């Protein structure tokens, strides 16, 4: 019997582009039925962040043990901290036929693309580099040196846009959410994703 597998949705883009803000808005909407895969990180929690909700906060030693055990779908070291995605949760949720939503860094997305090429890869882009810099300064959580390193990194990351299926500009958060939902709906109707069901029916 045909069993529909869930869709792995990867939202990525430069640091400071608003990935977390867009993801939170998507998941606050009543009609959203994606499963959010909480990432792991070794960075300290920001104010208001909750362990197991925003991230799984781990020590460097704990994180490196998981790397050794091949328990991460992807991971990257970014501005001195590790970020990664727990593998077991993602695989079991997809097998159960539910869509998994990942919000990850660009380096991590490139790793996932190699392991799960059938995933849906969406690049969240800033309206401009100036807008990105203003957003980072507005956070008030990083020094000017860290902000500059993130802006420089964002330039490199924008050049990796060719690894993605779709680009969504984050001009307004709600607009970005609407575009992402439209893309996911279209992908579920893609011929390659549905034809097995019809072949079996015939």
């Amino acid at each position: 019997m045909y069993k529909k597998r869930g869709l792995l949705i990867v939202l990525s883009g430069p640091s400071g582009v608003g990935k977390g803000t867009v993801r939170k808005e998507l998941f606050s909407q009543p009609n959203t039925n994606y499963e959010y895969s909480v990432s792991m990180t070794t960075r300290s929690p920001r104010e208001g962040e909750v362990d197991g909700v925003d991230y799984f906060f781990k020590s460097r030693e704990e994180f490196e043990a998981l790397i050794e055990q091949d328990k991460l779908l992807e991971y990257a070291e970014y501005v001195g901290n590790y970020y990664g995605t727990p593998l077991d949760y993602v695989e079991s949720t997809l097998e159960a036929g539910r869509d998994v939503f990942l919000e990850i860094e660009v380096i991590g997305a490139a790793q996932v693309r190699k392991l799960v090429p059938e995933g849906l890869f969406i690049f969240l882009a800033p309206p401009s580099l100036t807008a990105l810099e203003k957003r980072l300064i507005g956070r008030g959580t990083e020094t000017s040196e860290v902000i500059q390193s993130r802006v420089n990194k964002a330039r490199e990351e924008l050049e990796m846009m060719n690894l993605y299926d779709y680009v969504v500009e984050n001009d307004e958060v709600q607009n970005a959410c609407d575009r992402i939902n439209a893309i996911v709906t279209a992908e579920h109707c893609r011929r390659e994703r549905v034809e097995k069901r019809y072949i079996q029916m015939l």
Side-chain angles (χ1 to χ4, degrees), residues 76-89:
E77 192 167 7
Y78 191 86
V79 197
N81 289 300
Y82 281 124
Y83 294 83
T85 301
L87 178 60
D88 293 348
Y89 169 81

Side-chain angles (χ1 to χ4, degrees), residues 13-17 78 105-107 123-126 128-134 136 146-162 164:
S15 175
V17 77
Y78 191 86
E105 302 299 328
V106 170
I107 295 167
F123 188 90
L124 194 65
S128 67
L129 280 174
T130 308
L132 184 70
E133 192 166 6
K134 278 183 185 167
L136 286 167
V146 172
I147 287 169
Q148 197 49 57
S149 77
R150 283 186 183 271
V151 170
N152 292 340
K153 189 81 181 161
R155 288 176 185 274
E156 295 170 26
E157 289 170 333
L158 282 161
E159 290 173 9
M160 294 171 74
M161 196 184 280
N162 65 320
Y164 295 79

Side-chain angles (χ1 to χ4, degrees), residues 127-195:
S128 67
L129 280 174
T130 308
L132 184 70
E133 192 166 6
K134 278 183 185 167
R135 191 190 292 265
L136 286 167
I137 291 165
R139 272 183 184 174
T141 56
E142 281 128 354
T143 63
S144 56
E145 290 80 12
V146 172
I147 287 169
Q148 197 49 57
S149 77
R150 283 186 183 271
V151 170
N152 292 340
K153 189 81 181 161
R155 288 176 185 274
E156 295 170 26
E157 289 170 333
L158 282 161
E159 290 173 9
M160 294 171 74
M161 196 184 280
N162 65 320
L163 297 173
Y164 295 79
D165 304 307
Y166 297 90
V167 177
V168 169
E169 185 178 299
N170 189 17
D171 47 0
E172 293 287 338
V173 172
Q174 189 54 57
N175 288 347
C177 291
D178 291 345
R179 291 170 193 143
I180 290 166
N181 283 327
I183 288 165
V184 173
T185 300
E187 281 295 309
H188 272 293
C189 300
R190 190 183 278 273
R191 191 258 312 151
E192 302 95 294
R193 296 194 197 279
V194 300
E195 70 179 346

Side-chain angles (χ1 to χ4, degrees), residues 1-199:
M1 182 173 165
Y2 173 77
K3 190 182 176 195
K4 186 184 172 191
R5 185 174 160 86
L7 181 62
L8 181 64
I9 304 155
V10 178
L11 180 69
S12 189
S15 175
V17 77
K19 296 185 293 293
T21 305
V22 168
R23 186 256 307 163
K24 281 175 184 167
E25 180 57 33
L26 268 173
F27 278 79
S28 74
Q29 296 171 0
N31 58 346
T32 294
N33 53 12
Y34 312 132
E35 297 285 334
Y36 176 55
S37 176
V38 179
S39 294
M40 275 180 196
T41 185
T42 57
R43 78 154 167 78
S44 301
R46 293 191 184 125
E47 193 178 338
E49 287 184 330
V50 178
D51 184 45
V53 175
D54 296 284
Y55 282 97
F56 293 112
F57 295 99
K58 300 286 181 187
S59 69
R60 202 168 179 84
E61 293 71 28
E62 287 173 318
F63 201 104
E64 287 174 347
L66 291 167
I67 294 171
E68 288 292 313
Q69 295 160 25
D70 288 327
K71 289 286 187 185
L72 297 168
L73 176 62
E74 57 77 31
Y75 72 92
E77 192 167 7
Y78 191 86
V79 197
N81 289 300
Y82 281 124
Y83 294 83
T85 301
L87 178 60
D88 293 348
Y89 169 81
V90 171
E91 190 51 42
S92 61
T93 309
L94 290 173
E95 274 300 307
R98 297 197 302 276
D99 293 347
V100 176
F101 193 99
L102 298 188
E103 172 218 321
I104 56 177
E105 302 299 328
V106 170
I107 295 167
Q111 293 173 26
V112 176
R113 184 103 221 185
K114 286 179 185 166
L115 289 170
V116 192
E118 73 276 13
L120 169 58
F121 292 79
I122 302 171
F123 188 90
L124 194 65
S128 67
L129 280 174
T130 308
L132 184 70
E133 192 166 6
K134 278 183 185 167
R135 191 190 292 265
L136 286 167
I137 291 165
R139 272 183 184 174
T141 56
E142 281 128 354
T143 63
S144 56
E145 290 80 12
V146 172
I147 287 169
Q148 197 49 57
S149 77
R150 283 186 183 271
V151 170
N152 292 340
K153 189 81 181 161
R155 288 176 185 274
E156 295 170 26
E157 289 170 333
L158 282 161
E159 290 173 9
M160 294 171 74
M161 196 184 280
N162 65 320
L163 297 173
Y164 295 79
D165 304 307
Y166 297 90
V167 177
V168 169
E169 185 178 299
N170 189 17
D171 47 0
E172 293 287 338
V173 172
Q174 189 54 57
N175 288 347
C177 291
D178 291 345
R179 291 170 193 143
I180 290 166
N181 283 327
I183 288 165
V184 173
T185 300
E187 281 295 309
H188 272 293
C189 300
R190 190 183 278 273
R191 191 258 312 151
E192 302 95 294
R193 296 194 197 279
V194 300
E195 70 179 346
K196 279 184 192 167
R197 179 186 157 205
Y198 289 96
I199 287 167

